Amino acid sequence: MSVIVHQGDLPAGAFVGVSSVAVDSETLGLRLGRDPLCLVQLKGPEGDTHLVQLDRATYDAPNLKRLLTDPKVLKLFHFGRFDIAMFQIHLGVITAPVYCTKIASKLARTYTDRHGLRDVTRELLGVDISKAQQSSDWGAAELSPEQIAYAASDVAHLHALRDRLDLMLAREGRLALAQACFDFLPQRAALDVAGWDEIDIFAHT
Ligand code: MN
C-alpha cells in the first residue's frame, strides 16, 4: 500500500463504497480560531493512504467535505474532538458519523490513564509508532518524507484499534455508552468552536 499526496482535495474516486475511513489532520498549532488546518490524512480499511494538502486561501475541497459529512461513512479518529472542530471552522462542515479511539480507550481501559495514540497502539497492537514529526511545520509547501511517513502512521492503525476496543467495550458492557458519546462528539466540538471549550456544561458549578 502506498501513501499518495494530493493538492487541494481528494480525487473524486477515492473511498467509493467504503463504509469507514480513518481520519487525522495536522495544523499549525493547537489553538482553535488561530491556527490553520494544513493537512488531512485518510485511510480506508485497506488500500492506499491519502494525504490532502489543503489550499489555505480557499479551503475548497468538495470531495473531502462530501466524505466527512457522508452519513454512510463512519469516520474514525483518535481525539476527534480537535479535528472535528478544525473541520467545522475551516471546511465549514459538521463531521459525522464518527468513532473516537481515545474515548473508546478511556471507557474500556480504566486500568490506565495512558490514552495517547502511541500508548494505545503499543499495548493493543504491539506496534510502535513514532511521534517525532508531531511538532513540525505542516504549513510547508512541500512535506518532507519524514512528515509524510508520520502523517500516514497516524491513520494506519485506527481500524485495528477500533476492532480491539470494541471487543473490550463489549466485554465491559459499555458499547452503548461509547456510541452515545460518539453521537454527541460533533456537538461537543461545536461547543468548543462556540466558546464553551473550557466550560463543562454538565458540571454543577
Ligand atoms: Mn496526527
Side-chain angles (χ1 to χ4, degrees):
M1 297 316 145
S2 44
V3 180
I4 307 165
V5 181
H6 308 280
Q7 299 303 319
D9 197 6
L10 274 175
F15 302 119
V16 167
V18 168
S19 62
S20 62
V21 175
V23 185
D24 186 36
S25 66
E26 305 301 336
T27 64
L28 267 192
L30 298 178
R31 191 169 299 192
L32 298 177
R34 183 192 69 180
D35 297 325
L37 173 66
C38 300
L39 183 75
V40 180
Q41 309 100 280
L42 308 105
K43 187 180 186 316
E46 50 211 17
D48 297 328
T49 302
H50 296 272
L51 310 189
V52 180
Q53 275 193 294
L54 294 161
D55 177 349
R56 288 158 52 191
T58 64
Y59 285 111
D60 182 29
N63 296 329
L64 174 62
K65 293 174 189 179
R66 198 175 306 116
L67 183 75
L68 293 175
T69 56
D70 188 334
K72 295 190 294 298
V73 180
L74 181 66
K75 273 68 67 173
L76 315 181
F77 293 91
H78 189 82
F79 196 60
R81 179 175 169 179
F82 179 74
D83 306 279
I84 293 164
M86 277 285 177
F87 296 165
Q88 182 183 332
I89 291 170
H90 297 290
L91 303 177
V93 297
I94 302 293
T95 305
V98 299
Y99 183 107
C100 178
T101 51
K102 189 165 209 173
I103 291 172
S105 176
K106 287 182 175 179
L107 290 173
R109 297 170 64 249
T110 44
Y111 50 82
T112 178
D113 59 2
R114 302 188 71 91
H115 302 287
L117 180 60
R118 190 181 176 160
D119 293 306
V120 181
T121 304
R122 189 193 294 124
E123 184 194 298
L124 297 186
L125 304 177
V127 173
D128 257 305
I129 55 168
S130 162
K131 278 279 166 193
Q133 295 293 316
Q134 188 163 33
S135 325
S136 63
D137 177 13
W138 294 103
E142 186 115 5
L143 299 177
S144 69
E146 292 77 20
Q147 283 180 307
I148 290 171
Y150 164 76
S153 75
D154 269 358
V155 290
H157 305 292
L158 295 184
H159 280 91
L161 284 177
R162 178 186 60 158
D163 292 345
R164 293 297 307 272
L165 288 163
D166 274 353
L167 288 174
M168 297 177 81
L169 287 167
R171 189 187 76 192
E172 303 307 323
R174 295 189 186 130
L175 270 174
L177 184 59
Q179 186 59 53
C181 294
F182 303 149
D183 291 343
F184 178 63
L185 187 54
Q187 280 67 47
R188 175 59 266 191
L191 285 165
D192 291 338
V193 174
W196 282 273
D197 51 331
E198 298 287 341
I199 298 163
D200 177 3
I201 59 168
F202 298 105
H204 175 58
T205 51

